[in-house]
Amino acid sequence: MAEENIQLVEQFPGADDYCRLRSAAGMSPKTIEAARKGLPNTLYGVSLRRDGEVIGMGRIIGDGGCFYTVVDIAVAPPFQGRGLGKRIMTALDAWLRANAEPSAYVTLVADGEARHLYAKYGFVETAPASVNMEYLVASNPAD
Ligand SMILES: CC(C)(COP(=O)(O)OP(=O)(O)OC[C@H]1O[C@@H](n2cnc3c(N)ncnc32)[C@H](O)[C@@H]1OP(=O)(O)O)[C@@H](O)C(=O)NCCC(=O)NCCS
């Protein structure tokens, strides 16, 4: 597969491509309504495109000063393991280095083996000093 046919574009996918690619990559689904609300709040995002089709994505959200979070890193399964995840992370890392204040705190949740990818960009595991805590709005046990 010719990697030169795959272009990195400094624009995050639209809501339809976003929902499709999350599902294709085995990530938890997002409703189209959530995507339409949330994606315009992206600070910086990129897409990987091949013949017009979105096959990869990644973005940074946050307050633009103190806190940033790397989310939605995904490569379509047929294209995984070819260095495309690194192309996405290299672009996000460059943006952070150029735009984030020295005191900014950058976090992400690493699913499974993806932690090896993020470690290449300086991310370190915080457990047990701190752990990720979460709930899905639809199933918040505190309700
Ligand atoms: C995680 C993901 C984005 C990585 O993209 P990719 O294009 O497959 O990754 P790359 O080919 O660029 O590999 C990048 C590095 O990550 C590491 N890596 C990626 N997947 C790995 C795995 N399954 N096991 C071990 N290391 C892995 C490797 O160290 C690799 O570097 P190397 O080739 O120099 O050794 C992709 O596999 C994916 O979309 N997975 C499903 C969705 C997902 O889990 N997203 C992450 C949510 S946190």
Side-chain angles (χ1 to χ4, degrees):
M1 191 174 300
E3 296 297 339
E4 57 269 26
N5 287 342
I6 298 174
Q7 294 176 318
L8 186 141
V9 181
E10 289 184 297
Q11 182 180 4
F12 198 69
D16 290 328
D17 281 328
Y18 168 74
C19 291
R20 174 186 55 76
L21 188 51
R22 272 193 70 99
S23 294
M27 302 163 84
S28 59
K30 297 295 179 199
T31 64
I32 194 75
E33 292 80 11
R36 287 184 182 137
K37 270 189 185 176
L39 299 192
N41 300 316
T42 299
L43 290 175
Y44 177 73
V46 299
S47 309
L48 291 175
R49 293 187 187 159
R50 181 172 180 268
D51 297 333
E53 181 191 4
V54 177
I55 60 146
M57 62 183 178
R59 66 183 180 127
I60 298 165
I61 58 175
D63 71 2
C66 298
F67 295 98
Y68 297 81
T69 306
V70 172
V71 295
D72 292 324
I73 307 296
V75 173
F79 302 97
Q80 291 175 5
R82 302 166 188 269
L84 295 176
K86 280 190 284 193
R87 272 177 78 177
I88 294 167
M89 283 303 299
T90 296
L92 301 190
D93 181 59
W95 187 89
L96 283 165
R97 288 176 191 279
N99 293 282
E101 297 296 323
S103 65
Y105 185 62
V106 185
T107 55
L108 57 77
V109 177
D111 293 341
E113 300 302 321
R115 68 181 184 276
H116 301 295
L117 168 63
Y118 304 130
K120 291 177 184 290
Y121 294 87
F123 288 90
V124 296
E125 296 182 31
T126 59
S130 60
V131 296
N132 187 58
M133 298 182 71
E134 64 179 20
Y135 68 76
L136 257 181
V137 167
S139 57
N140 183 356
D143 283 346

